[in-house]
């Protein structure tokens, strides 16, 4: 139960609620953290800005939005066998509506909603060093106190709208994929311009093209995308997955990606070009991420191995796209797999449609948006609607926008001006009692996210218990531990080709953002590492004894 007191010194009127933990965000991370911490006996309140649970899956309602990682039934929580038994996934690559329905079901099934306050943004969060508490102010004017602030604010939640000249002058509708309206959007009879051809664009463009009068695709960087080969889940597959759930779960735990994917141990150079071609072809036909992870072990680490797969996909693009000039514009030239690997449902094929035009912005850049369209160097493209599939200030953006104030009044944006330091991707020096789920320096977006949320929440819960049992008031990462962690994250990244590519993984998509690879690529090793840190008495963190605070007068 929350401890509710009134305080004469509160800046807002009314009683102040005190909780053991406030969780910001009711997405995949926040929902599970609530369930877990509540079960451990902590009082918890979740604040969510949207008017529904689901986080990223609530916001990203654009046509074609689907899971682009592991095929169902693996993009799901694993903590409850009953849940695994009860929920039927219907497609191998679940769509947004199914994932959202699943998360809503989880919220109901585990009675989570009573501790979630929707339609509530956190306007401010400050750490009070004397009282070892966080004070949180909401968009509804509430002021809330908590010992622990858990930021489950999402890795892909801070939408990025580039500053395109004239965009405010456009007279038609303009939608960002991650701020898609609740009501259906009709493209019938419309001339639609789509800016952005990464995951969201690649998923949305084929769907929009099926309906619209015309689609003009404004592409800056061409992409490698692999056919998802989405299909209905065979009930027999679900039955088998349920029957072998403990085996599957063990495979997930052991996997570097947290998914029961077969990771090849073979090197590309061990096969002849003909053998490689045959293997790539078979995996292309199979669809999904096996082409990247099940082909050769060194695709992401060896430039020559990478080139063999890149050449194969470029060959596929030339084969699929009938107009050679369009095909040429679609050929990617970065290391395959070093941006988010896309899975599509008919993306390259879409460029064979009469109602789709591709503009290569590298040779024909946008000059301005006008009231009636987009003008590029070579002419005006008349449009009724613009879809911005321009992505996110990923991994760190939502935390920086939250901008909590830590020890000594230092804001997170200030601390992270040039570098995103964290320890274990869970704690931040100068920000005692603040934890992040899927934070920078954790495996986050390159791991099965529901499973990652479970494992991180378990670690956070154990840590909170550690403090409670020992009468400790605060825990804080040391700057030295952060330095060491930064080196570890960089070491994993530098063993791959990831840092060589401009992507949102490296921060390169946001002008002025520090360039840093913020994802820990250790997978299962990461989770062993954080367990070891806990076992060694939370090495790299310092604790403070609990100060005596009378919460009746605390504010
Ligand atoms: P991404 O992956 O950040 O993609 C954004 C796209 O928008 C990408 O093609 C960008 O081109 C393009 N972009 C961004 N700014 C501009 C400007 N100013 N002009 C033209 N084109 C621009 O976001 P998504 O939403 O597709 O995917 C994010 C993740 O969500 C995804 O990985 C999934 O995990 C779910 P660029 O490549 O930078 O040249």
């Amino acid at each position: 139960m929350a401890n509710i007191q009134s305080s004469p010194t509160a800046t807002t009127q009314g009683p102040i609620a005190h909780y053991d933990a406030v969780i910001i965000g009711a997405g995949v991370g926040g929902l599970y953290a609530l369930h877990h911490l509540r079960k451990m006996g902590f009082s918890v309140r979740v604040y969510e800005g949207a008017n529904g649970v689901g986080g990223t899956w609530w916001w990203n309602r654009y046509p074609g939005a689907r899971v682009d990682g592991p095929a169902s039934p693996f993009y799901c929580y694993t903590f409850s066998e009953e849940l695994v038994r009860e929920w039927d996934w219907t497609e191998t690559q679940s769509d947004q509506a199914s994932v959202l329905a699943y998360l809503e079901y989880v919220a109901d099934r585990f009675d989570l909603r009573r501790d979630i306050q929707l339609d509530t943004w956190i306007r401010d969060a400050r750490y009070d060093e004397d009282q070892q508490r966080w004070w949180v102010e909401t968009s509804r004017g509430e002021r809330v106190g908590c010992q622990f602030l858990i930021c489950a604010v999402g890795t892909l939640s801070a939408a990025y709208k580039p500053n395109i000249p004239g965009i405010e002058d456009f007279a038609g509708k303009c939608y960002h994929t991650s701020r898609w309206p609740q009501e259906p959007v009709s493209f019938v009879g419309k001339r639609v311009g789509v800016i952005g051809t990464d995951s969201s664009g690649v998923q949305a463009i084929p769907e929009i093209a099926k309906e619209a009068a015309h689609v003009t695709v404004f592409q800056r960087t061409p992409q490698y995308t692999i056919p998802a080969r989405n299909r209905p889940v065979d009930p027999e597959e679900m039955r088998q997955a349920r029957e072998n759930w403990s085996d599957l779960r063990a495979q997930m735990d052991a996997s570097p990606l947290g998914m029961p994917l077969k990771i090849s141990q073979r090197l590309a150079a061990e096969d002849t070009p003909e053998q490689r071609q045959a293997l790539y072809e078979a995996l292309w036909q199979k669809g999904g991420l096996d082409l990247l992870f099940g082909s050769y072990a060194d695709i992401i680490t060896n430039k020559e191995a990478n080139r063999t797969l890149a050449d194969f996909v470029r060959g596929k693009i030339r084969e699929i796209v009938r107009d050679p000039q369009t095909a040429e514009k679609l050929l990617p030239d970065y290391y395959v797999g070093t941006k988010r690997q896309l899975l599509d449902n008919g993306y390259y094929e879409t460029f064979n449609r009469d109602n789709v035009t591709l503009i290569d912005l590298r040779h024909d850049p946008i000059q301005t948006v006008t009231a009636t369209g987009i003008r590029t160097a070579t002419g005006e493209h008349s449009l009724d609607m613009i879809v911005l599939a321009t992505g996110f200030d990923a991994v760190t953006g939502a935390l920086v926008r939250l901008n909590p104030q830590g020890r000594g009044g230092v804001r997170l944006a200030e601390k992270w001006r040039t570098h995103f330091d964290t320890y274990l991707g869970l704690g931040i020096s100068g920000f005692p009692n603040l934890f992040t789920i899927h934070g920078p320096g954790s495996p986050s977006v390159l791991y099965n996210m529901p499973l990652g949320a479970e494992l991180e929440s378990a670690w956070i819960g154990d840590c909170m218990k550690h403090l409670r049992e020992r009468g400790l008031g605060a825990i804080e990462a040391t700057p030295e531990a952060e330095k060491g962690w930064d080196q570890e994250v960089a070491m994993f990244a530098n063993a791959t080709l990831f840092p060589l590519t401009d992507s949102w993984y490296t921060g390169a998509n946001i002008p002025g953002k520090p360039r840093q690879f913020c994802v820990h690529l250790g997978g299962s090793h990461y989770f062993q590492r954080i367990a070891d840190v806990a076992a060694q008495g939370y090495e790299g963190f310092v604790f403070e004894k609990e100060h005596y605070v009378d919460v009746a007068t605390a504010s």
Side-chain angles (χ1 to χ4, degrees), residues 56 60 62 68 156 160 162-164 176-177 195-202 218-221 223 339-340 342 361 366 389-392 445 502 504-505 509:
T56 289
N60 283 267
Y62 61 84
D68 64 354
L156 297 162
Y160 171 56
N163 195 5
I164 301 172
H176 191 284
T177 43
I195 302 178
T197 55
D198 217 334
S199 306
S200 304
V202 162
F218 297 88
Q219 168 196 275
R220 194 164 64 181
T221 307
Q223 298 288 352
K339 281 182 164 229
R340 178 86 179 182
L342 315 185
L361 297 180
I366 294 177
T390 47
F392 303 87
V445 291
D502 282 349
W504 57 260
Y505 292 145
N509 65 324

Short mmCIF file of all heavy atoms in Angstrom, two decimals, residues 56 60 62 68 156 160 162-164 176-177 195-202 218-221 223 339-340 342 361 366 389-392 445 502 504-505 509, ligand 1:
data_model
loop_
_atom_site.label_atom_id
_atom_site.label_comp_id
_atom_site.label_asym_id
_atom_site.label_seq_id
_atom_site.Cartn_x
_atom_site.Cartn_y
_atom_site.Cartn_z
N THR A 56 5.57 1.26 -26.89
CA THR A 56 5.85 1.31 -28.33
C THR A 56 4.72 0.68 -29.14
O THR A 56 4.37 1.16 -30.22
CB THR A 56 7.18 0.57 -28.59
OG1 THR A 56 8.22 1.40 -28.07
CG2 THR A 56 7.42 0.32 -30.06
N ASN A 60 2.83 2.83 -32.09
CA ASN A 60 3.19 2.55 -33.49
C ASN A 60 2.10 1.76 -34.22
O ASN A 60 2.22 0.56 -34.44
CB ASN A 60 4.53 1.80 -33.54
CG ASN A 60 5.67 2.74 -33.30
OD1 ASN A 60 6.27 3.29 -34.23
ND2 ASN A 60 5.96 2.98 -32.02
N TYR A 62 1.00 2.34 -37.27
CA TYR A 62 1.03 2.59 -38.72
C TYR A 62 0.75 1.28 -39.49
O TYR A 62 0.97 0.19 -38.96
CB TYR A 62 2.39 3.19 -39.12
CG TYR A 62 3.57 2.30 -38.82
CD1 TYR A 62 3.97 1.30 -39.70
CD2 TYR A 62 4.30 2.45 -37.65
CE1 TYR A 62 5.05 0.48 -39.42
CE2 TYR A 62 5.38 1.65 -37.36
CZ TYR A 62 5.76 0.65 -38.26
OH TYR A 62 6.82 -0.16 -37.99
N ASP A 68 9.60 -7.27 -35.70
CA ASP A 68 10.61 -7.48 -36.74
C ASP A 68 11.78 -8.30 -36.20
O ASP A 68 12.85 -8.34 -36.78
CB ASP A 68 11.10 -6.15 -37.33
CG ASP A 68 11.82 -5.29 -36.31
OD1 ASP A 68 11.84 -5.67 -35.13
OD2 ASP A 68 12.37 -4.24 -36.69
N LEU A 156 12.53 3.06 -28.20
CA LEU A 156 12.05 3.61 -29.48
C LEU A 156 10.75 4.34 -29.19
O LEU A 156 9.67 3.95 -29.62
CB LEU A 156 11.87 2.48 -30.49
CG LEU A 156 13.17 1.76 -30.84
CD1 LEU A 156 12.91 0.40 -31.49
CD2 LEU A 156 14.04 2.61 -31.75
N TYR A 160 11.43 11.03 -33.71
CA TYR A 160 12.32 12.02 -34.33
C TYR A 160 11.65 12.60 -35.58
O TYR A 160 11.36 11.87 -36.54
CB TYR A 160 13.65 11.36 -34.71
CG TYR A 160 14.53 12.25 -35.56
CD1 TYR A 160 14.89 13.53 -35.12
CD2 TYR A 160 14.98 11.84 -36.81
CE1 TYR A 160 15.67 14.36 -35.90
CE2 TYR A 160 15.77 12.66 -37.60
CZ TYR A 160 16.12 13.92 -37.14
OH TYR A 160 16.88 14.75 -37.91
N PRO A 162 12.56 15.17 -38.32
CA PRO A 162 13.65 16.03 -38.80
C PRO A 162 13.13 17.39 -39.20
O PRO A 162 11.96 17.55 -39.55
CB PRO A 162 14.20 15.27 -40.02
CG PRO A 162 13.15 14.31 -40.40
CD PRO A 162 12.29 14.05 -39.21
N ASN A 163 14.05 18.33 -39.13
CA ASN A 163 13.71 19.70 -39.45
C ASN A 163 13.76 19.89 -40.97
O ASN A 163 14.74 20.36 -41.51
CB ASN A 163 14.75 20.58 -38.74
CG ASN A 163 14.30 21.99 -38.68
OD1 ASN A 163 13.18 22.30 -39.09
ND2 ASN A 163 15.17 22.87 -38.21
N ILE A 164 12.70 19.48 -41.64
CA ILE A 164 12.68 19.58 -43.11
C ILE A 164 12.08 20.94 -43.47
O ILE A 164 10.97 21.25 -43.01
CB ILE A 164 11.87 18.42 -43.73
CG1 ILE A 164 12.51 17.08 -43.33
CG2 ILE A 164 11.80 18.54 -45.25
CD1 ILE A 164 11.71 15.86 -43.72
N HIS A 176 3.49 11.07 -38.35
CA HIS A 176 4.71 10.34 -38.02
C HIS A 176 4.28 8.90 -37.70
O HIS A 176 3.28 8.70 -37.00
CB HIS A 176 5.40 10.96 -36.81
CG HIS A 176 6.79 10.45 -36.58
ND1 HIS A 176 7.02 9.21 -36.01
CD2 HIS A 176 8.00 10.98 -36.84
CE1 HIS A 176 8.34 9.02 -35.94
NE2 HIS A 176 8.95 10.08 -36.44
N THR A 177 5.04 7.93 -38.18
CA THR A 177 4.62 6.53 -37.98
C THR A 177 4.42 6.19 -36.50
O THR A 177 3.55 5.39 -36.17
CB THR A 177 5.65 5.55 -38.59
OG1 THR A 177 6.96 6.00 -38.25
CG2 THR A 177 5.50 5.43 -40.08
N ILE A 195 8.59 9.60 -46.25
CA ILE A 195 10.00 9.94 -46.03
C ILE A 195 10.54 8.94 -45.02
O ILE A 195 10.04 8.84 -43.90
CB ILE A 195 10.17 11.38 -45.51
CG1 ILE A 195 9.55 12.38 -46.48
CG2 ILE A 195 11.64 11.70 -45.27
CD1 ILE A 195 9.62 13.84 -46.02
N GLY A 196 11.58 8.20 -45.41
CA GLY A 196 12.16 7.21 -44.50
C GLY A 196 11.91 5.80 -44.98
O GLY A 196 10.77 5.43 -45.28
N THR A 197 12.99 5.03 -45.08
CA THR A 197 12.88 3.67 -45.62
C THR A 197 13.62 2.67 -44.74
O THR A 197 14.28 1.76 -45.23
CB THR A 197 13.45 3.62 -47.05
OG1 THR A 197 14.79 4.13 -47.00
CG2 THR A 197 12.63 4.41 -48.03
N ASP A 198 13.50 2.88 -43.41
CA ASP A 198 14.05 1.86 -42.52
C ASP A 198 12.89 0.99 -42.05
O ASP A 198 11.88 0.90 -42.75
CB ASP A 198 14.81 2.55 -41.37
CG ASP A 198 16.06 1.77 -40.98
OD1 ASP A 198 16.10 0.55 -41.20
OD2 ASP A 198 16.99 2.38 -40.46
N SER A 199 12.97 0.41 -40.85
CA SER A 199 11.94 -0.57 -40.45
C SER A 199 10.52 -0.07 -40.67
O SER A 199 9.70 -0.78 -41.27
CB SER A 199 12.09 -0.91 -38.97
OG SER A 199 13.36 -1.33 -38.70
N SER A 200 10.21 1.13 -40.17
CA SER A 200 8.82 1.59 -40.24
C SER A 200 8.41 1.84 -41.68
O SER A 200 7.33 1.41 -42.11
CB SER A 200 8.64 2.88 -39.42
OG SER A 200 9.05 2.66 -38.10
N GLY A 201 9.27 2.50 -42.46
CA GLY A 201 8.96 2.76 -43.86
C GLY A 201 8.82 1.47 -44.65
O GLY A 201 7.88 1.30 -45.44
N VAL A 202 9.73 0.55 -44.41
CA VAL A 202 9.72 -0.72 -45.16
C VAL A 202 8.45 -1.53 -44.85
O VAL A 202 7.91 -2.23 -45.71
CB VAL A 202 11.03 -1.52 -44.88
CG1 VAL A 202 10.88 -2.98 -45.24
CG2 VAL A 202 12.19 -0.88 -45.61
N PHE A 218 10.58 8.69 -50.54
CA PHE A 218 11.77 9.54 -50.48
C PHE A 218 12.82 8.79 -49.67
O PHE A 218 12.72 8.70 -48.44
CB PHE A 218 11.42 10.89 -49.85
CG PHE A 218 10.43 11.67 -50.67
CD1 PHE A 218 9.06 11.50 -50.49
CD2 PHE A 218 10.87 12.54 -51.66
CE1 PHE A 218 8.14 12.20 -51.26
CE2 PHE A 218 9.96 13.26 -52.43
CZ PHE A 218 8.59 13.09 -52.24
N GLN A 219 13.80 8.26 -50.37
CA GLN A 219 14.78 7.37 -49.73
C GLN A 219 16.15 8.05 -49.61
O GLN A 219 16.68 8.54 -50.59
CB GLN A 219 14.94 6.10 -50.58
CG GLN A 219 16.12 5.23 -50.19
CD GLN A 219 16.46 4.22 -51.25
OE1 GLN A 219 15.88 3.14 -51.29
NE2 GLN A 219 17.39 4.56 -52.13
N ARG A 220 16.67 8.06 -48.38
CA ARG A 220 18.02 8.59 -48.22
C ARG A 220 19.04 7.46 -48.26
O ARG A 220 20.01 7.51 -48.99
CB ARG A 220 18.13 9.38 -46.91
CG ARG A 220 19.37 10.22 -46.84
CD ARG A 220 19.28 11.27 -45.76
NE ARG A 220 19.18 10.66 -44.43
CZ ARG A 220 19.07 11.39 -43.32
NH1 ARG A 220 19.04 12.70 -43.37
NH2 ARG A 220 19.00 10.79 -42.15
N THR A 221 18.79 6.39 -47.49
CA THR A 221 19.72 5.25 -47.47
C THR A 221 18.97 3.99 -47.87
O THR A 221 18.00 3.61 -47.19
CB THR A 221 20.31 5.08 -46.05
OG1 THR A 221 20.88 6.32 -45.63
CG2 THR A 221 21.38 4.00 -46.03
N GLN A 223 18.12 0.03 -48.13
CA GLN A 223 18.20 -0.97 -47.05
C GLN A 223 18.27 -2.39 -47.56
O GLN A 223 17.70 -2.70 -48.60
CB GLN A 223 16.92 -0.88 -46.20
CG GLN A 223 16.73 0.42 -45.52
CD GLN A 223 17.69 0.62 -44.39
OE1 GLN A 223 18.43 -0.31 -44.01
NE2 GLN A 223 17.74 1.80 -43.85
N LYS A 339 22.76 -2.21 -39.54
CA LYS A 339 21.62 -1.41 -39.12
C LYS A 339 20.62 -2.44 -38.64
O LYS A 339 20.82 -3.64 -38.86
CB LYS A 339 21.02 -0.66 -40.31
CG LYS A 339 21.80 0.59 -40.69
CD LYS A 339 21.09 1.28 -41.85
CE LYS A 339 21.58 2.67 -42.01
NZ LYS A 339 20.49 3.64 -42.13
N ARG A 340 19.52 -1.98 -38.04
CA ARG A 340 18.51 -2.94 -37.64
C ARG A 340 18.15 -3.82 -38.84
O ARG A 340 17.79 -3.29 -39.90
CB ARG A 340 17.27 -2.17 -37.18
CG ARG A 340 16.13 -3.03 -36.78
CD ARG A 340 16.25 -3.42 -35.37
NE ARG A 340 15.15 -4.24 -34.94
CZ ARG A 340 15.03 -4.69 -33.69
NH1 ARG A 340 15.95 -4.40 -32.78
NH2 ARG A 340 14.01 -5.42 -33.34
N LEU A 342 16.05 -5.65 -41.26
CA LEU A 342 14.63 -5.55 -41.58
C LEU A 342 14.10 -6.87 -42.10
O LEU A 342 14.81 -7.60 -42.79
CB LEU A 342 14.40 -4.47 -42.63
CG LEU A 342 15.13 -3.14 -42.44
CD1 LEU A 342 14.70 -2.14 -43.51
CD2 LEU A 342 14.88 -2.58 -41.06
N LEU A 361 17.17 10.43 -52.53
CA LEU A 361 17.50 11.75 -51.96
C LEU A 361 19.00 12.03 -51.98
O LEU A 361 19.41 13.17 -51.87
CB LEU A 361 16.97 11.87 -50.54
CG LEU A 361 15.45 11.80 -50.37
CD1 LEU A 361 15.07 11.94 -48.89
CD2 LEU A 361 14.76 12.89 -51.18
N ILE A 366 15.72 16.75 -50.96
CA ILE A 366 14.56 17.60 -50.70
C ILE A 366 15.05 19.04 -50.55
O ILE A 366 15.98 19.31 -49.80
CB ILE A 366 13.83 17.17 -49.40
CG1 ILE A 366 13.22 15.77 -49.57
CG2 ILE A 366 12.76 18.19 -48.99
CD1 ILE A 366 12.54 15.21 -48.33
N ALA A 389 8.41 8.50 -41.74
CA ALA A 389 8.87 7.24 -41.12
C ALA A 389 10.32 7.48 -40.73
O ALA A 389 11.23 6.74 -41.11
CB ALA A 389 8.74 6.09 -42.11
N THR A 390 10.52 8.57 -39.96
CA THR A 390 11.87 9.07 -39.74
C THR A 390 12.48 8.66 -38.41
O THR A 390 13.55 9.13 -38.04
CB THR A 390 11.88 10.61 -39.87
OG1 THR A 390 10.79 11.13 -39.11
CG2 THR A 390 11.75 11.03 -41.31
N GLY A 391 11.78 7.77 -37.69
CA GLY A 391 12.42 7.10 -36.57
C GLY A 391 12.42 7.83 -35.25
O GLY A 391 11.53 8.65 -34.96
N PHE A 392 13.46 7.54 -34.49
CA PHE A 392 13.48 7.89 -33.07
C PHE A 392 14.85 8.41 -32.65
O PHE A 392 15.87 8.04 -33.22
CB PHE A 392 13.19 6.64 -32.22
CG PHE A 392 11.90 5.97 -32.57
CD1 PHE A 392 11.83 5.01 -33.59
CD2 PHE A 392 10.74 6.31 -31.89
CE1 PHE A 392 10.63 4.40 -33.91
CE2 PHE A 392 9.54 5.71 -32.22
CZ PHE A 392 9.48 4.75 -33.23
N VAL A 445 17.66 -3.41 -27.47
CA VAL A 445 17.04 -3.66 -28.78
C VAL A 445 17.69 -4.80 -29.55
O VAL A 445 17.18 -5.22 -30.59
CB VAL A 445 17.07 -2.40 -29.64
CG1 VAL A 445 16.14 -1.35 -29.08
CG2 VAL A 445 18.49 -1.84 -29.76
N ASP A 502 26.60 4.20 -40.02
CA ASP A 502 25.74 5.24 -39.44
C ASP A 502 24.36 4.65 -39.22
O ASP A 502 23.71 4.21 -40.18
CB ASP A 502 25.61 6.42 -40.41
CG ASP A 502 26.85 7.30 -40.38
OD1 ASP A 502 27.70 7.12 -39.49
OD2 ASP A 502 26.96 8.17 -41.27
N TRP A 504 20.85 4.31 -36.03
CA TRP A 504 20.39 4.80 -34.72
C TRP A 504 21.07 4.04 -33.59
O TRP A 504 21.06 4.49 -32.45
CB TRP A 504 18.87 4.82 -34.62
CG TRP A 504 18.12 3.53 -34.86
CD1 TRP A 504 17.49 3.16 -36.01
CD2 TRP A 504 17.87 2.48 -33.91
NE1 TRP A 504 16.87 1.95 -35.84
CE2 TRP A 504 17.08 1.50 -34.56
CE3 TRP A 504 18.21 2.26 -32.58
CZ2 TRP A 504 16.65 0.34 -33.93
CZ3 TRP A 504 17.79 1.11 -31.95
CH2 TRP A 504 17.02 0.17 -32.62
N TYR A 505 21.68 2.89 -33.88
CA TYR A 505 22.45 2.20 -32.83
C TYR A 505 23.64 3.06 -32.40
O TYR A 505 24.09 3.00 -31.27
CB TYR A 505 23.05 0.89 -33.36
CG TYR A 505 22.08 -0.21 -33.67
CD1 TYR A 505 22.32 -1.07 -34.74
CD2 TYR A 505 20.96 -0.45 -32.89
CE1 TYR A 505 21.47 -2.12 -35.04
CE2 TYR A 505 20.10 -1.50 -33.19
CZ TYR A 505 20.35 -2.33 -34.27
OH TYR A 505 19.52 -3.37 -34.55
N ASN A 509 21.78 9.02 -36.38
CA ASN A 509 20.57 9.52 -37.05
C ASN A 509 20.08 10.85 -36.49
O ASN A 509 19.21 11.48 -37.08
CB ASN A 509 19.43 8.48 -36.96
CG ASN A 509 18.95 8.25 -35.53
OD1 ASN A 509 19.75 8.28 -34.61
ND2 ASN A 509 17.68 8.04 -35.36
P1 LIG B 1 14.86 4.54 -38.36
O1 LIG B 1 15.41 3.19 -38.40
O2 LIG B 1 15.60 5.57 -37.58
O3 LIG B 1 14.68 5.04 -39.86
C1 LIG B 1 14.41 6.37 -40.16
C2 LIG B 1 14.37 6.54 -41.64
O4 LIG B 1 14.11 7.91 -41.92
C3 LIG B 1 15.68 6.21 -42.33
O5 LIG B 1 15.40 5.68 -43.58
C4 LIG B 1 16.34 7.58 -42.44
O6 LIG B 1 17.30 7.66 -43.45
C5 LIG B 1 15.13 8.43 -42.77
N1 LIG B 1 15.36 9.83 -42.45
C6 LIG B 1 15.59 10.38 -41.24
N2 LIG B 1 15.74 11.71 -41.36
C7 LIG B 1 15.58 12.01 -42.66
C8 LIG B 1 15.61 13.20 -43.40
N3 LIG B 1 15.86 14.37 -42.80
N4 LIG B 1 15.42 13.13 -44.73
C9 LIG B 1 15.18 11.95 -45.32
N5 LIG B 1 15.14 10.76 -44.68
C10 LIG B 1 15.34 10.80 -43.36
O7 LIG B 1 13.37 4.52 -37.80
P2 LIG B 1 12.23 3.44 -38.04
O8 LIG B 1 11.01 3.99 -37.41
O9 LIG B 1 12.15 3.00 -39.43
O10 LIG B 1 12.73 2.19 -37.22
C11 LIG B 1 13.13 2.30 -35.88
C12 LIG B 1 12.98 1.00 -35.16
O11 LIG B 1 11.63 0.82 -34.76
C13 LIG B 1 13.26 -0.20 -35.96
O12 LIG B 1 14.58 -0.52 -36.02
C14 LIG B 1 12.42 -1.28 -35.32
O13 LIG B 1 13.13 -1.90 -34.30
C15 LIG B 1 11.28 -0.55 -34.76
P3 LIG B 1 18.85 7.28 -43.15
O14 LIG B 1 18.87 5.79 -43.05
O15 LIG B 1 19.17 7.93 -41.81
O16 LIG B 1 19.61 7.85 -44.25
#
